[in-house]
Amino acid sequence: MAPKSLVLAAVLLVAVAAGEVPRCAGLGASSTNASVVISGMVPCSTGNNINVATAPAPFPNATVQLQCNGRVTAGTTADGNGNFVISMPGASKDLLTAVMGNQCKVVVSTPLAACDASLAGAIGTLSSSLKLLGISTGGSGGGGGLDLGGIINVIVQILSGVLGGIVTLAPQAFSLV
Ligand SMILES: *[C@@H]1O[C@H](CO)[C@@H](O)[C@H](O)[C@H]1NC(C)=O
Ligand SMILES: *[C@@H]1O[C@H](CO)[C@@H](O)[C@H](O)[C@H]1NC(C)=O
């Protein structure tokens, strides 16, 4: 799915350059009718591009933050199985632009020692970029079947507030950085 989000980032740049999307969404952070939903599982593991499916264990109760352009934008706590959901209804244009532009990442602020005492010496923070799973707009089954032009159109309409929708993302793969 990485290529898809990269394509979207490129698409967004094109749209911004073409003036179809406000270049500066404004510090007022006007809201849209779109929700951004990020869900995934935090591994209790060190390494690069950790595959959660094969990680030795999940990270229960991990504190998970969404950081966009270096700022904490949202956060949540994983459940006892390391699963988390960050749901942001009425996402601002700034947030949507940052998410679509690959400027956001998920960061685990709880030290690894909390899930495995033997990892107390691990230096760094688990962090992952995001991948786009899909964009669904009221009723019409989502971005899956859209061609590039269709996706641009949906993004532009969501950013301009004409269209509501749910933008669904997941962590690409956590790395200890
Ligand atoms: C996670 O949090 C819940 C609720 O606070 C607690 O009952 C549970 O023991 C915690 N699990 C771990 C592994 O710390
Ligand atoms: C959200 O949708 C409602 C109708 O469903 C509309 O009246 C409102 O203007 C929309 N808000 C934004 C920010 O586009």
Side-chain angles (χ1 to χ4, degrees):
M1 285 307 220
K4 192 171 178 185
S5 63
L6 290 178
V7 164
L8 277 171
V11 160
L12 191 74
L13 286 178
V14 169
V16 169
E20 292 184 79
V21 173
R23 187 178 303 271
C24 175
L27 297 172
S30 50
S31 67
T32 66
N33 271 348
S35 301
V36 173
V37 178
I38 301 167
S39 61
M41 185 179 166
V42 183
C44 178
S45 177
T46 61
N48 273 317
N49 293 320
I50 301 160
N51 179 346
V52 285
T54 57
F59 195 153
N61 301 346
T63 300
V64 181
Q65 296 176 339
L66 177 71
Q67 293 186 6
C68 297
N69 295 311
R71 280 206 213 137
V72 177
T73 304
T76 190
T77 303
D79 68 12
N81 297 315
N83 294 310
F84 72 92
V85 179
I86 297 176
S87 181
M88 293 165 286
S92 70
K93 287 180 190 176
D94 286 354
L95 174 63
L96 280 165
T97 307
V99 163
M100 305 273 202
N102 268 343
Q103 290 155 2
C104 300
K105 58 185 178 176
V106 173
V107 175
V108 179
S109 59
T110 316
L112 275 168
C115 64
D116 182 346
S118 75
L119 299 179
I123 311 268
T125 308
L126 285 173
S127 166
S128 173
S129 57
L130 297 173
K131 64 181 173 188
L132 183 74
L133 296 183
I135 302 176
S136 71
T137 57
S140 75
L146 293 171
D147 62 11
L148 209 52
I151 292 175
I152 294 177
N153 201 27
V154 165
I155 293 173
V156 168
Q157 289 190 63
I158 286 178
L159 283 171
S160 64
V162 173
L163 207 60
I166 303 175
V167 179
T168 314
L169 303 110
Q172 194 87 249
F174 283 97
S175 294
L176 192 67
V177 293

